[in-house]
Amino acid sequence: MPAQSASSSVPSWRGVLASIDIGSNSFRLEIGQTTRGRYRRIDYLKETVRLGAGLDAEGRLSEEAAQRGLVCLQRFRARLAGIPARQLRAVATQTLREAANRDAFLARAAEALGHPVEVISGREEARLIYKGVARLQPSSHPRLVIDIGGRSTELIIGAGSVPMQAESFGIGSVSLSMRYFGDGLFTEERFRAAQIAAGAEFEEALETFSRRHWSEALGSSGTAGAVSQILAAAGISDGAITPEGLAWCIRACVQAGRVDALELPGLKPERRAVLGGGLAILSALAAQFGIEALQPARGALRQGVIFDLEERLAADRDPAHHDLRDDTVAELQQRFRADAMQARRVQDTAQRLHRQVQPHAELDLQRELGWAAALHEIGMMVSHHDHHRHSAYLIAHVDAPGFSQTQQRRLADLVLGHRGGLRKIEAALAEPDLVWQLLALRLAVLLCHARCAPDEPLPTLAADGRAVQLRLPAGWGERHPRTLHLLAAEAEAWARVGALQLQIEHDPKR
């Protein structure tokens, strides 16, 4: 369908930030600007793509659904022509968390958009939703924020700007509608069955999100907004979603009998097919958590992504600013009792070596290397044997606020490859940036293997294409024969995979 636009063109990208929310039902592009803490929307595009409806029984995304998404991203790309890459972030949610062939789609999506797409975890999605709501609709009262997407529902309790509890549940308006109303029929029995199924998903959270923990409830994004508009247009409420209003909507669906016969004031045609599932989820939430009135929220995931990006860019300009990912890495080190001093030694050495072969590397690549070094030994909490495998698994699967699943997987590849043979990550070595990061990390681990800082001056790296020389200071090999032995084995490991040719050069004279 045609994109919905709030304005025409942007005269300059200076100070402008953009986010893309690749949802299970709709794709959304938000362009905005923050000035002295105030947010101004410049443009907003939305397309109903129904990506989530394209997952088959094996969890694979169909080519038809993939094409709908790629065409939409190409249109978004045209609107974003000229925006610096660091001022844009594209995130994908539940459908691509589930899709068995997501990597293939993500590669095509990056080509269509001209920018990488990151898959975020459910809890990270919840955190970003709350960030968007809290910034655009500030309040000091404890409140429950609900976001019903196409294939997941996020619940967050927070006060002020701080989310205190956040969870994502694998049920949404698209998936529930396909399951109970997929043939287009509405009946009372089907609604009851859908409500029970939705309630079963939320039952484990009855205590965590119970009524005594919050004083107001807000509904973010598509489903809540659509139902609010229906109730307001029909004169049932002022836009507040109440149990009585939900019952009225469900009766109207049953009376219509079919999705294609449903006519409600304020209901947009593209929302009709997923309304049944959304109503079932809302009514289950209202009943189980005692929600008397759910007010529509101003903020959503797409704004939360922009505000998070704003903080990242501020931290890049000035270390005094806050980057949540640094806090997350420090918390993970503490949780898994990593040797922080050794991590710092490896981190400093790796970053110094990386700057020698990649002096103009993007800041994100430099920081990723630092985070990988900081976390490379957390698997020792599980077992010293093959600790790199345990570290990589933990990094790939732990809840890590601020990080996308995509970035966690990249860090996991670096950590998995920091010792031992390289064939286990051979596919990842196709990316040149990761090769340079990994080389620096592996050499740093070897140079610090005695769990002390390497002697100064540090060995130096020089690269000519894929040929790399590690030059050792005079007499260094005689002082460190065991490390020299390990470095020779390192050169052989790289030779076996052919990603680069590492030569060790040393002058035996003191």
Side-chain angles (χ1 to χ4, degrees):
M1 354 184 12
Q4 300 170 3
S5 176
S7 72
S8 54
S9 62
V10 181
S12 168
W13 290 114
R14 182 182 297 275
V16 173
L17 301 175
S19 69
I20 295 174
D21 168 9
I22 298 177
S24 298
N25 191 51
S26 302
F27 286 15
R28 293 176 169 89
L29 165 63
E30 177 97 2
I31 303 173
Q33 190 170 35
T34 58
T35 306
R36 292 186 293 276
R38 301 192 64 174
Y39 178 70
R40 179 175 69 91
R41 172 186 281 179
I42 293 173
D43 209 352
Y44 171 54
L45 308 178
K46 173 189 171 184
E47 293 197 22
T48 301
V49 175
R50 300 266 166 78
L51 195 70
L55 285 183
D56 63 21
E58 284 73 42
R60 297 185 65 81
L61 188 65
S62 71
E63 180 60 23
E64 182 182 1
Q67 282 296 331
R68 291 197 301 269
L70 296 173
V71 169
C72 175
L73 292 176
Q74 288 171 344
R75 281 195 281 266
F76 285 180
R77 180 177 186 170
R79 179 64 186 86
L80 291 165
I83 188 171
R86 65 198 307 267
Q87 292 170 222
L88 166 65
R89 189 175 180 208
V91 301
T93 56
Q94 185 66 24
T95 293
L96 291 180
R97 289 197 285 267
E98 294 181 47
N101 56 341
R102 78 174 188 180
D103 290 344
F105 176 78
L106 289 172
R108 298 169 70 189
E111 184 177 355
L113 182 61
H115 190 85
V117 174
E118 302 173 73
V119 180
I120 56 175
S121 71
R123 284 185 175 173
E124 179 65 4
E125 181 180 357
R127 184 187 72 84
L128 292 169
I129 289 166
Y130 187 81
K131 181 179 280 289
V133 173
R135 178 79 170 264
L136 294 181
Q137 203 164 340
S139 171
S140 59
H141 299 295
R143 53 189 175 175
L144 172 67
V145 175
I146 295 171
D147 188 298
I148 301 171
R151 294 188 74 91
S152 71
T153 296
E154 282 67 48
L155 303 183
I156 313 101
I157 290 178
S161 62
V162 180
M164 297 178 291
Q165 295 287 347
E167 194 54 83
S168 179
F169 301 87
I171 189 167
S173 60
V174 171
S175 56
L176 202 64
S177 294
M178 289 175 63
R179 182 176 174 186
Y180 290 97
F181 312 108
D183 60 359
L185 295 178
F186 287 135
T187 67
E188 291 184 5
E189 292 75 16
R190 291 187 181 198
F191 268 105
R192 276 197 296 271
Q195 288 167 322
I196 290 171
E201 290 287 332
F202 303 124
E203 199 161 28
E204 65 183 74
L206 286 177
E207 169 54 31
T208 305
F209 296 96
S210 69
R211 183 67 178 81
R212 62 191 181 86
H213 295 308
W214 48 269
S215 59
E216 60 182 357
L218 300 176
S220 171
S221 204
T223 295
V227 175
S228 173
Q229 289 172 9
I230 291 170
L231 295 175
I236 303 299
S237 76
D238 60 357
I241 301 171
T242 63
E244 295 77 18
L246 290 169
W248 179 86
C249 287
I250 290 173
R251 285 196 302 271
C253 291
V254 172
Q255 288 170 5
R258 295 188 56 84
V259 170
D260 55 11
L262 183 61
E263 295 291 342
L264 288 172
L267 176 62
K268 296 177 181 178
E270 66 270 18
R271 180 60 59 176
R272 186 183 288 127
V274 298
L275 181 64
L279 289 171
I281 293 172
L282 281 169
S283 58
L285 288 169
Q288 288 182 258
F289 297 104
I291 302 172
E292 297 173 0
L294 184 72
Q295 302 291 342
R298 290 182 57 199
L301 172 62
R302 58 190 180 275
Q303 289 97 355
V305 172
I306 284 181
F307 301 144
D308 203 59
L309 181 57
E310 176 191 24
E311 291 179 0
R312 290 186 182 188
L313 294 177
D316 290 347
R317 292 191 299 268
D318 182 355
H321 284 276
H322 181 74
D323 188 319
L324 179 63
R325 293 171 294 179
D326 293 325
D327 291 347
T328 295
V329 169
E331 190 275 329
L332 291 174
Q333 281 186 316
Q334 185 175 17
R335 186 196 309 180
F336 295 109
R337 301 179 186 175
D339 183 340
M341 292 184 65
Q342 174 68 358
R344 172 58 69 181
R345 286 189 287 265
V346 171
Q347 188 179 56
D348 290 345
T349 305
Q351 290 179 325
R352 288 172 64 182
L353 292 170
H354 187 252
R355 284 194 291 270
Q356 292 173 12
V357 288
Q358 292 284 279
H360 305 297
E362 294 180 2
L363 184 58
D364 275 354
L365 295 175
Q366 299 173 41
R367 301 187 79 183
E368 280 179 358
L369 175 59
W371 292 324
L375 298 175
H376 77 285
E377 287 188 337
I378 63 172
M380 286 189 176
M381 179 72 171
V382 179
S383 171
H384 279 234
H385 178 67
D386 278 352
H387 70 266
H388 58 301
R389 296 184 184 275
H390 302 307
S391 297
Y393 181 87
L394 290 171
I395 291 168
H397 294 91
V398 74
D399 285 321
F403 288 96
S404 66
Q405 288 186 340
T406 306
Q407 193 166 47
Q408 285 181 242
R409 288 172 63 178
R410 183 183 175 87
L411 293 178
D413 283 340
L414 286 170
V415 169
L416 179 61
H418 89 262
R419 66 193 294 264
L422 288 162
R423 293 203 184 280
K424 58 184 176 288
I425 59 159
E426 198 162 5
L429 296 178
E431 185 186 341
D433 286 335
L434 186 136
V435 169
W436 295 117
Q437 290 173 309
L438 187 60
L439 175 66
L441 179 60
R442 287 174 65 93
L443 290 175
V445 169
L446 293 182
L447 293 172
C448 299
H449 80 282
R451 308 193 83 77
C452 61
D455 288 350
E456 297 288 350
L458 195 69
T460 58
L461 275 177
D464 182 8
R466 292 198 306 168
V468 185
Q469 294 179 338
L470 181 67
R471 298 167 181 164
L472 308 181
W476 193 95
E478 283 69 34
R479 295 193 301 275
H480 304 283
R482 290 176 292 276
T483 306
L484 186 60
H485 168 77
L486 295 174
L487 290 172
E490 179 69 8
E492 293 175 3
W494 284 102
R496 281 193 289 272
V497 295
L500 54 79
Q501 298 171 339
L502 177 63
Q503 296 178 329
I504 311 298
E505 293 192 355
H506 67 104
D507 182 353
K509 298 178 181 179
R510 293 181 182 273

